[in-house]
Amino acid sequence: MSERLPGLGLGLDLTHTPAEPRPSSVALLYRRTDVGVEVFWVKRGKALRFAGGFYAFPGGKLDAADADVEVRGASGEEAALRSAAARELFEETGVLVADGAQALTAPKLEALRKALLGGTLGWGALLKSEGLTLDADDFRAAGRWVTPPSLPVRFDTRFYLVEMPESARAEWWPGELAEGAWVRPADALARWGDGTALLHPPAVHAFQVLASFTDESEARARLSTPPFCPGYISQRIEFQQGVRVVALETPTLPPAAHTNAYVLGNGELLIVDPGASDVKQYAKLLSLVSGLKAEGMKPVAVVLTHHHGDHVGGARAVKERLGIPLWCHARTADRLDFPVERLLEDGDVLTLAGAVPQRWRVLHTPGHARGHVCLVDERSRAAVVGDMVAGVGTIVIDPPEGHMRDYLTQLARLRDLPVSTLYPAHGSPIPDGPAKLQEYLDHRAAREALILQAVPPDGATLAQVVSLAYADTPPLMHPIAERSALATLEKLVEEGRVREESLQYFRV
């Protein structure tokens, strides 16, 4: 996320211990139509910590009380997970898959759903009160997926294929979910292809299988054996078609522990920010590229968003192993100690041939680093944004390389294009790019106001300003906060609202 900063490493834990996956269940609800099957998908609310803004299937984590519900034909964990799938399906769609549910009226189902969601009636009590029984055969095992260790929230998820009961009706209610609807798998994949529906690997795989549905047993067999998924963890993460991510462990700023390398394209490929110098890390990236080459794709260049160590650590090794050139901005190139074959400029278009061609426009976005660039896909307006924003952690503006006014200008520029999904170097994709960019602008404006307020007319040191303006930040992080505070003070000096004299700052 930045170069090593003053105070970094003094008491900070830079090791990465993956979060323990939580058991969870997903109900893959489908119905047969004259033109194939349809699947009920939901869009998760953008405020949700995990997969906010993504399209998914009804599901959620296992509750302790799920294990208290009897499931005919299953026991132990298998019963509890099916109980969780049935509960989540009812909560999120109103479809109650249980023996006896067909006798319940629509008003009764609505009342039960409201009571369950409102917490006035527990899941087991609900079933018992209506004499309902869960049957394992209604929730047929259809795969297992474990969230990659790079993410801060992880799940060990069992998928269950559930056929829509004839008498049932699926209905999405506003709340944690932003949408819910029936969709043809081919249409869902088309939206994934054009970037208007972000999908995690399990959903991509499910739609690919169900797009050629013939019978349930064949579908479940294919759903349960996804490719590139050792230990139930996907090795190919492609949130939208032609945008693949490999999270590499790097010495970056906590709480981030990884830098995302991106592999862009559907034929010709760009490799963006291979930031790990550890061969065990960048080997994961090379393995992905090797598999894509075996499928007829061709890497054409390594692209760097900027020169910071957690973005360039493996760049030389990767370019040499693949025998491809390195492209970056001139202000990045003059900070590297290895050759650069092409200097990128604002407005350049990087065209990638392939089954679905891509055109990535280069934007020079200084502020975090003088040579920082972003790549914007002209078709979907998705943007690979390096360290302009972060899906986890914060962005440090560290003078003299960092310049706050330039940074704010470029945030507004990206917002106003507008971009769509942001693919940051640290953390998960951000579906609503303009909203996140505005959030960053608002946050910086609020922090600037605090910093200006902390500067008295009779002067204060940088440390004194930080102690007041960053009172909400742990003191351990103040050496890092000082860098962005200094960038803000320099902006205020440029604007004539603060003056600096002998390392003291005075409000004008």
Side-chain angles (χ1 to χ4, degrees), residues 30-216:
Y30 77 98
R31 67 184 181 186
R32 304 171 196 253
T33 74
D34 293 339
V35 292
V37 301
E38 293 181 334
V39 182
F40 198 87
W41 69 349
V42 296
K43 185 178 183 182
R44 295 172 58 80
K46 65 181 181 180
L48 294 177
R49 186 181 176 202
F50 182 82
F54 275 69
Y55 284 82
F57 307 117
K61 65 181 178 65
L62 183 69
D63 287 347
D66 292 326
D68 298 330
V69 175
E70 182 179 351
V71 179
R72 187 170 59 243
S75 61
E77 185 182 47
E78 286 297 327
L81 289 165
R82 282 173 167 82
S83 171
R87 175 181 51 76
E88 291 283 349
L89 182 62
F90 185 48
E91 288 178 347
E92 296 189 2
T93 71
V95 175
L96 183 53
V97 180
D99 290 352
Q102 63 274 14
L104 299 177
T105 64
K108 182 63 174 180
L109 285 168
E110 181 176 333
L112 291 172
R113 186 181 179 189
K114 287 181 177 178
L116 181 61
L117 289 169
T120 60
L121 184 62
W123 175 231
L126 182 154
L127 295 171
K128 186 175 181 180
S129 69
E130 302 303 322
L132 306 177
T133 304
L134 300 183
D135 190 331
D137 201 43
D138 290 329
F139 294 84
R140 300 195 171 188
R144 179 179 180 182
W145 296 78
V146 177
T147 309
S150 60
L151 294 180
V153 179
R154 302 180 66 207
F155 295 96
D156 182 349
T157 305
R158 311 299 174 92
F159 277 64
Y160 297 99
L161 195 58
V162 183
E163 186 163 9
M164 180 72 166
E166 288 186 8
S167 60
R169 176 172 176 265
E171 183 179 18
W172 157 72
W173 286 356
E176 288 189 350
L177 302 178
E179 295 177 23
W182 291 102
V183 64
R184 294 176 59 243
D187 293 337
L189 291 171
R191 290 194 55 190
W192 170 73
D194 64 24
T196 59
L198 300 183
L199 300 175
H200 282 102
V204 175
H205 178 62
F207 283 125
Q208 289 171 338
V209 169
L210 295 176
S212 57
F213 181 92
T214 54
D215 64 73
E216 185 179 284

Side-chain angles (χ1 to χ4, degrees), residues 328-329 342-351 359-366 371-378 410 413-414 417:
C328 65
H329 191 271
R342 176 179 173 181
L343 299 180
L344 300 176
E345 297 182 359
D346 191 85
D348 284 353
V349 176
L350 310 181
T351 301
R359 287 168 53 87
W360 292 90
R361 184 168 297 277
V362 177
L363 301 184
H364 180 214
T365 51
H372 196 287
V373 297
C374 296
L375 304 179
V376 180
D377 177 35
E378 291 189 345
Q410 297 306 322
R413 179 189 184 192
L414 288 168
L417 276 177

Side-chain angles (χ1 to χ4, degrees), residues 215-235:
D215 64 73
E216 185 179 284
S217 60
E218 186 268 348
R220 288 197 301 113
R222 292 174 59 202
L223 287 167
S224 299
T225 54
F228 318 114
C229 205
Y232 309 110
I233 299 175
S234 178
Q235 303 302 298

Side-chain angles (χ1 to χ4, degrees), residues 254-432:
H258 299 77
T259 299
N260 294 328
Y262 290 96
V263 180
L264 309 177
N266 300 292
E268 293 183 321
L269 305 173
L270 295 179
I271 292 90
V272 181
D273 283 358
S277 58
D278 182 353
V279 65
K280 293 181 181 178
Q281 291 298 311
Y282 67 70
K284 296 188 291 188
L285 175 61
L286 291 173
S287 176
L288 171 62
V289 174
S290 177
L292 296 174
K293 288 173 65 178
E295 296 169 18
M297 301 189 197
K298 177 186 176 182
V300 295
V302 171
V303 174
L304 301 179
T305 60
H306 61 296
H307 73 280
H308 288 157
D310 58 329
H311 293 254
V312 307
R316 184 171 194 165
V318 169
K319 93 183 200 76
E320 290 177 353
R321 295 281 187 96
L322 296 176
I324 56 178
L326 177 71
W327 302 347
C328 65
H329 191 271
R331 296 289 72 75
T332 297
D334 59 22
R335 287 153 172 78
L336 302 177
D337 60 359
F338 47 90
V340 171
E341 284 71 31
R342 176 179 173 181
L343 299 180
L344 300 176
E345 297 182 359
D346 191 85
D348 284 353
V349 176
L350 310 181
T351 301
L352 301 176
V356 180
Q358 290 183 343
R359 287 168 53 87
W360 292 90
R361 184 168 297 277
V362 177
L363 301 184
H364 180 214
T365 51
H368 176 70
R370 295 182 185 181
H372 196 287
V373 297
C374 296
L375 304 179
V376 180
D377 177 35
E378 291 189 345
R379 180 167 174 249
S380 69
R381 306 199 76 80
V384 178
V385 294
D387 277 353
M388 289 300 294
V389 302
V392 60
T394 188
I395 300 298
V396 177
I397 309 302
D398 182 20
E401 184 70 32
H403 190 277
M404 186 62 74
R405 188 160 60 181
D406 286 349
Y407 175 65
L408 297 176
T409 297
Q410 297 306 322
L411 286 177
R413 179 189 184 192
L414 288 168
R415 177 200 62 194
D416 295 341
L417 276 177
V419 291
S420 57
T421 299
L422 304 180
Y423 289 98
H426 308 281
S428 299
I430 301 162
D432 190 347

